[in-house]
Amino acid sequence: MSHIYSDTFFDYINQSARASAKPFVSLLFPLLKPSSVIDLGSGRGVWMDEWRKGGAGDVLAVDGDYVDRAQLAVAPEQFMAADLTQPVETGRRFDLAQSLEVGEHLPTEASQVLVDSLTRASDRVLFSAAVTGQGGEFHVNEQPLSFWQELFAAKGYVAYDCVRPALKDNKDIAPWYRYNAILYVNAAGRDGLPAEILATEVPAGQKVGNAGSLVWRLRLAVVKTLPRGAVTAIAQARALVLALRARRAKTVGRAAV
């Protein structure tokens, strides 16, 4: 990876990840019942901590070696350092693999590598990635959702749009998760899927469309016109402000106790 993500970046990501992961797990765990979950691009492992709390006893968080082990939300043995631009090999398969808002941070030529790593890890993949104009720190590969759909289809994985309709109005969830998340499943993973998910299969030949409110779509249109350097600078400034605000609130809370 050519970009190193700081503690401030992960402090910011953790806030939205924790609030977003809880309703995701509440929705999907009863439907998928995964006992093992792997997360490629996990950050500090907040999502894996929520899957563990939801009932998945076997979790593995995977991200760059720059992640501070002292800040992990999972046990050290539940974290694996890896360069996601290269094939990730664990020597095993999981009930569910996920990669959420990670693909946009990888060079376009590494997109296939990420999808290969995910499909090698599981028959069921929960996936989201930033769409064009979404903006964020070092977003070098923003794509329409159909871009990723085609890569998964080439591996024999079908799109199920089971998450977005259920969670699109939940304001506790960061918009990039609730508007972008799609479940991809191959023939083996289809066995045992409940009717609620089977009913959301995206028909062959139909593209997964981008989603979002009017405000979200306007944001995409505006950000799309800005230089990438400016977008990264804005994202870094926003992350710093929110991270400092969160730390200040935590300090005040401790003082009150």
Side-chain angles (χ1 to χ4, degrees):
M1 294 288 291
S2 59
H3 184 78
I4 301 300
Y5 296 91
S6 67
D7 279 344
T8 298
F9 173 82
F10 287 119
D11 286 344
Y12 168 62
I13 292 299
N14 274 13
Q15 294 178 59
S16 62
R18 182 71 73 181
S20 302
K22 291 179 180 180
F24 262 71
V25 172
S26 295
L27 171 71
L28 290 175
F29 190 86
L31 299 172
L32 300 178
K33 298 182 175 63
S35 60
S36 59
V37 185
I38 184 173
D39 186 0
L40 300 190
S42 63
R44 294 171 179 164
V46 167
W47 278 84
M48 291 300 89
D49 185 42
E50 290 300 327
W51 277 110
R52 182 189 57 79
K53 291 176 180 177
D58 178 8
V59 299
L60 181 62
V62 181
D63 211 313
D65 200 32
Y66 44 74
V67 174
D68 183 357
R69 308 305 195 273
Q71 299 287 336
L72 288 174
V74 294
E77 61 270 20
Q78 294 173 321
F79 178 83
M80 172 180 164
D83 179 353
L84 299 184
T85 66
Q86 302 299 315
V88 176
E89 302 277 1
T90 64
R92 56 171 294 197
R93 287 179 73 78
F94 294 77
D95 294 335
L96 179 67
Q98 73 170 39
S99 183
L100 303 177
E101 300 303 295
V102 173
E104 66 272 12
H105 296 275
L106 306 181
T108 303
E109 57 269 23
S111 302
Q112 184 67 64
V113 176
L114 177 61
V115 170
D116 288 348
S117 294
L118 289 164
T119 55
R120 189 161 45 245
S122 182
D123 298 321
R124 298 172 176 176
V125 179
L126 178 63
F127 186 85
S128 78
V131 297
T132 307
Q134 185 171 305
E137 181 171 337
F138 199 65
H139 280 199
V140 296
N141 187 30
E142 293 185 342
Q143 302 283 354
L145 298 184
S146 58
F147 169 86
W148 299 98
Q149 178 190 12
E150 291 174 4
L151 294 181
F152 278 105
K155 303 293 292 187
Y157 284 66
V158 174
Y160 289 84
D161 198 3
C162 57
V163 177
R164 299 189 300 175
L167 299 180
K168 64 182 177 66
D169 296 323
N170 187 333
K171 300 296 175 53
D172 292 333
I173 303 172
W176 40 89
Y177 293 124
R178 57 190 162 102
Y179 293 150
N180 297 345
I182 302 292
L183 182 68
Y184 291 97
V185 178
N186 65 9
R190 180 183 172 89
D191 290 343
L193 282 181
E196 297 96 313
I197 291 182
L198 292 174
T200 67
E201 179 178 346
V202 178
Q206 178 178 314
K207 290 185 177 182
V208 171
N210 291 354
S213 65
L214 176 59
V215 171
W216 179 251
R217 294 196 300 273
L218 288 173
R219 167 186 162 154
L220 299 181
V222 171
V223 174
K224 186 165 55 177
T225 67
L226 302 177
R228 193 177 76 199
V231 174
T232 289
I234 292 169
Q236 288 175 325
R238 174 178 169 79
L240 178 60
V241 169
L242 293 179
L244 289 174
R245 188 180 299 166
R247 291 172 194 168
R248 190 177 300 115
K250 188 179 296 184
T251 301
V252 171
R254 288 199 193 104
V257 173

